[in-house]
Amino acid sequence: MVIGVIGPPGVGKSTIMNELYGYDASSPGMLPPFPTQTEETKLMGKHCTTGIDIRISNERVILLDAQPVYSPSVLIDMMRPDGSSTIPVLNGEPLSADLAHELMGIQLGVFLASVCNIVLVVSEGMNDLSMWELMLTVDLLKHNIPDPSVLTSSASQDKENKNDDQLGSEDYISDLCFVHARLQGQDFSPSKLMLLRKTLEKHFNSSSFRIRSSNATGQASDSLVSSSSKVEDLTSGRQDIFLLPLRGQDNSTKFEYGTYSCMLGMLRDQILSWPARSFSKNLSERDWLRSSAKIWDMVKKSPVISEYCKALQSSGLFRK
C-alpha cells in the first residue's frame, strides 16, 4: 500500500504520517521519523518538509510526506528579487514565482493521486475547503498518466494486451481521505460531521474520485441524531472524513471523544485497514519507485497542465 499526504503548512501532516510509520528505534535499517515543526520553526515561519520524503514501515507501507501547499515560506524560498521563480516548474519555462507556486501544488496533487492508493487531504478547521478545490483541479488535469504498475510491463508482452492495460489504467486515481485537523471542542458534533459529509459528497459528485455515499439526512441537526451517537460511531468503518482536535502543549487535553493521541490512533487504525483502490497489477517497492520517477516526469511535461498554466497566465491573477 502507498499512502501520501497533502495539505497547507502547520496542520500536522508529518505527525499523521509518523503515526502511520510507527517508528521503532530497535528495528534495524529503519529510517528516523519524518521531521515535524518545532517551536523555533513555527516562530520563524518556515516549513520543515521540502519536496517529498519517503519512508517504508515495518508493514511494508510506503509513506509519502509532501511539502505544504499554499505555503508562504515555500513561495519566499523560490522567489527571486524580480519576482520570478528559481524552480523550473514546466520544462524550464520562466514563470513568476506565485504562478510557479500554484502549479507546484497542482503537480504535487496529480503526482500523489497517480502513485498512491490513498491520499490524505488535510485541512485546518471545518470551513476551509481550499484543499477540496485543489483536488478537484487535480482530477481535472490528471490526464494520460498511467497506473504505475503498467509502466513495469515486460517489453516482450503482447502489444495488444499492453494497449488494453493502458486503457484500463487511464481511469486509475487514488482514494481520498479528508482529515480536518486543529478542531475545537464545539466542532465535534455528530450533526456537523454529517453535514460535512453531505457537503463533501455534493462537492465531488461529478469527480473521478471515489467518494463514499454518506447516510446523512437532508437536514442534520443534533436533535435528529440519536442522543447516544458519538463522532467515533459515525466514523466507524470506511469513511472519507476524519476529525482531529487541536493538539495541546502537553498532548493530554481531553475532548469528549478522547485525547489528540487517542484520535490520531483511531485515524491510523482506519487508514491501515482501509480497502483502498489497488493498482492493476502487483508490483514490488523497487518497481513502484522506478514507475513513480517516470510518472513525475510525465507530470512535469503534461500538455494539459501546460495549457492550464497558460490559462492562469492570461487570467490576470498572477504576475507576468
Side-chain angles (χ1 to χ4, degrees), residues 275-296:
R277 183 174 298 183
S278 59
F279 302 128
S280 59
K281 299 177 183 177
N282 292 328
L283 71 168
S284 66
E285 289 89 345
R286 180 175 296 180
D287 286 339
W288 174 87
L289 190 60
R290 289 172 178 167
S291 296
S292 296
K294 295 176 183 177
I295 287 176
W296 176 241

Side-chain angles (χ1 to χ4, degrees), residues 38-39 108 112 118 174 188 219 221 226 240-241 262 267 305 315:
T38 62
E39 285 301 317
L108 188 62
L112 292 176
I118 303 172
S174 70
F188 288 87
Q219 185 177 358
S221 66
S226 170
D240 300 297
I241 295 181
C262 175
L267 172 61
I305 297 179
S315 69

Side-chain angles (χ1 to χ4, degrees), residues 112-114 116-119 172-176 209-210 277:
L112 292 176
S114 302
C116 295
N117 301 111
I118 303 172
V119 175
Y172 176 81
I173 196 166
S174 70
D175 282 340
L176 300 181
F209 290 111
R210 186 172 60 176
R277 183 174 298 183

Side-chain angles (χ1 to χ4, degrees), residues 123-136:
S123 304
E124 180 173 355
M126 295 286 280
N127 301 316
D128 180 13
L129 305 185
S130 59
M131 290 306 303
W132 293 17
E133 296 296 338
L134 175 62
M135 297 315 294
L136 285 178

Side-chain angles (χ1 to χ4, degrees), residues 197 212 231-239 270:
R197 278 191 198 161
R212 182 185 184 277
V231 169
E232 62 262 38
D233 295 332
L234 295 174
T235 56
S236 61
R238 191 210 133 166
Q239 301 294 342
Q270 174 179 304

Side-chain angles (χ1 to χ4, degrees), residues 80 85-95 100 107 300-301 306:
R80 291 194 178 100
S85 172
T86 60
I87 300 176
V89 177
L90 287 173
N91 298 323
E93 181 182 346
L95 297 173
Q107 288 178 329
K300 290 192 296 182
K301 297 178 180 178
S306 180

